[in-house]
Amino acid sequence: MIPRGYLICFAAAVCFAPTLAPGQTSTSDGTPRLAANSRPGVLTIFTAPENADVSMRGIAHLTGRTPIDVPPLMEGEYSIVVQGPGLSRAQGVIYLPPRGGLPFIISEPLGVRGLNFPGVPDLMSGRANRGLTLVAGAVGAGFMAVRAHIFYRQRLDEVGNFAADRAQDEKDYRNSWMIYSAAVWGTSAVDYWIRPRISLTETTPTRLTLGVPRATRGGAVWRSIIVPGAGQEFGNHRTRSVVWLAATLLSGAGFVVSDYRTQRDETDLKWAKIRAGNASPSELVQRQLELDQARRSRDESKDIRRSFVIGTVSFHALNILDAMMMRLNLQKPDKPKISSIAPIMLPDGPGVGVTLLF
């Protein structure tokens, strides 16, 4: 028989003993501590729709198909690319706090970043070819505008009505390149604003769900209407998107040049008429030949200008037609599964980065 005093002591010990969470032990003074083999919670990334290919780059690199578990050592900012059959390739930046915090998206707000120098937002977000095309268009337009302004200032130093008309031609040419540059700038901004983006659907300490836009026909068509090639980019045809954008920009630049040549030929024709009207009988034949040549040059320039107008409109229309007919659901890449582990150094100590390719 157990004495009553022992039972009372045992009951008191059970009631007042500190409660330990699973995975905890206590120190000699009773303070709870984590067991040596305990692990922080694992964060799982989901996408809506599911089964998307995710690539994360930061202090470590992780690639896989959702749902994908993120090792506890991966914390901080990570650039992320999400793609898959039937989805529009989207990318951004997410922040992974220490386990227990809420992960969130910190990338690409629809703000003034799109008003950066043309092409820079694309270069910063991994669309190098499209960005370089816009940069080339803006730089070329700026160079031609400065060149035309220099010629305009030189014409202002000359005297006479003919020099004044020539100065006006150079001024109009400069203004045309400035308008073209503004159009490229606006195209770059709108292209950045309408690009596909990931969205935050759900976030908990152990679950992050990212919304990914589906590559729909309607989404591709209305983007191509606004910006040439944007629909092809939305439908994951990146090379074709650059071709349509470059063709439209080049054709527009050709119109600016041909319009300037037409205006110059109009000025030459105007003064050829004046000289023919003031010619003496001995000069009349020569002046008439010059007038006929000036008229032919003007007509030829107008035909070239008309061709560039038709070309620019045609490229834009064909780009829209291509967006209506192109295949949206791209096949999955046929690649073998590859896994690799790379050592990395973290502020808290060494770790490993796991890469999975499917």
Side-chain angles (χ1 to χ4, degrees):
M1 182 176 181
I2 301 176
R4 181 177 301 178
Y6 287 106
L7 291 176
I8 294 175
C9 292
F10 177 77
V14 170
C15 293
F16 295 100
T19 302
L20 299 178
Q24 287 185 338
T25 60
S26 61
T27 60
S28 58
D29 58 356
T31 304
R33 67 181 179 186
L34 287 174
N37 60 350
S38 65
R39 297 187 307 166
V42 175
L43 172 66
T44 304
I45 295 182
F46 297 83
T47 55
E50 299 178 349
N51 297 322
D53 294 328
V54 174
S55 177
M56 297 173 56
R57 288 184 178 274
I59 195 171
H61 179 202
L62 178 64
T63 304
R65 185 166 299 155
T66 58
I68 181 174
D69 292 336
V70 180
L73 61 88
M74 295 182 65
E75 299 177 359
E77 295 184 10
Y78 285 84
S79 61
I80 182 170
V81 177
V82 185
Q83 56 189 339
L87 303 179
S88 180
R89 185 178 187 272
Q91 56 195 74
V93 180
I94 62 175
Y95 181 78
L96 304 180
R99 293 301 178 267
L102 296 179
F104 54 90
I105 298 176
I106 60 175
S107 64
E108 303 186 6
L110 292 175
V112 297
R113 178 179 171 182
L115 298 178
N116 289 345
F117 190 82
V120 171
D122 294 280
L123 293 174
M124 295 174 62
S125 57
R127 301 192 298 174
N129 292 335
R130 198 165 178 84
L132 290 175
T133 301
L134 292 168
V135 168
V139 172
F143 171 79
M144 295 301 293
V146 172
R147 179 176 178 271
H149 181 72
I150 293 174
F151 288 163
Y152 166 62
R153 298 299 303 177
Q154 291 175 350
R155 290 292 183 181
L156 291 179
D157 295 334
E158 301 175 0
V159 295
N161 293 331
F162 178 75
D165 288 344
R166 276 283 187 258
Q168 185 63 42
D169 292 338
E170 299 297 339
K171 181 179 179 181
D172 292 341
Y173 191 41
R174 179 202 65 184
N175 293 342
S176 295
W177 279 117
M178 292 177 65
I179 293 173
Y180 180 86
S181 179
V184 174
W185 209 301
T187 298
S188 175
V190 174
D191 185 57
Y192 171 76
W193 291 332
I194 65 176
R195 63 169 302 178
R197 286 175 167 80
I198 59 174
S199 60
L200 183 61
T201 302
E202 176 191 17
T203 179
T204 70
T206 59
R207 183 185 180 102
L208 175 64
T209 304
L210 302 175
V212 188
R214 293 182 181 271
T216 62
R217 183 72 60 191
V221 171
W222 73 258
R223 284 175 170 84
S224 287
I225 292 175
I226 298 177
V227 178
Q232 286 74 14
E233 177 79 13
F234 183 72
N236 300 313
H237 295 280
R238 310 191 82 180
T239 301
R240 288 159 70 174
S241 75
V242 174
V243 169
W244 287 121
L245 177 62
T248 306
L249 291 179
L250 285 174
S251 185
F255 167 77
V256 174
V257 175
S258 61
D259 182 65
Y260 166 67
R261 296 300 306 177
T262 301
Q263 296 302 323
R264 281 178 59 93
D265 290 342
E266 290 281 5
T267 300
D268 291 340
L269 179 60
K270 169 187 173 181
W271 284 96
K273 291 178 179 179
I274 293 175
R275 287 192 293 268
N278 298 330
S280 62
S282 60
E283 298 175 336
L284 186 58
V285 175
Q286 180 64 30
R287 297 304 183 188
Q288 187 62 42
L289 290 174
E290 293 176 356
L291 176 60
D292 293 340
Q293 180 61 43
R295 185 175 287 109
R296 285 193 296 268
S297 297
R298 189 277 312 268
D299 293 341
E300 181 180 356
S301 297
K302 291 180 71 173
D303 289 340
I304 295 175
R305 181 178 65 179
R306 188 181 303 111
S307 299
F308 276 110
V309 171
I310 295 173
T312 304
V313 174
S314 298
F315 282 132
H316 200 171
L318 290 173
N319 141 77
I320 298 173
L321 183 62
D322 181 55
M324 294 178 178
M325 300 176 62
M326 67 182 181
R327 180 167 53 89
L328 294 176
N329 294 326
L330 303 181
Q331 298 296 322
K332 297 180 180 180
D334 186 15
K335 296 181 179 179
K337 295 183 178 180
I338 301 175
S339 62
S340 63
I341 300 177
I344 58 174
M345 294 300 298
L346 298 172
D348 298 334
V352 293
V354 181
T355 301
L356 299 176
L357 298 179
F358 293 86

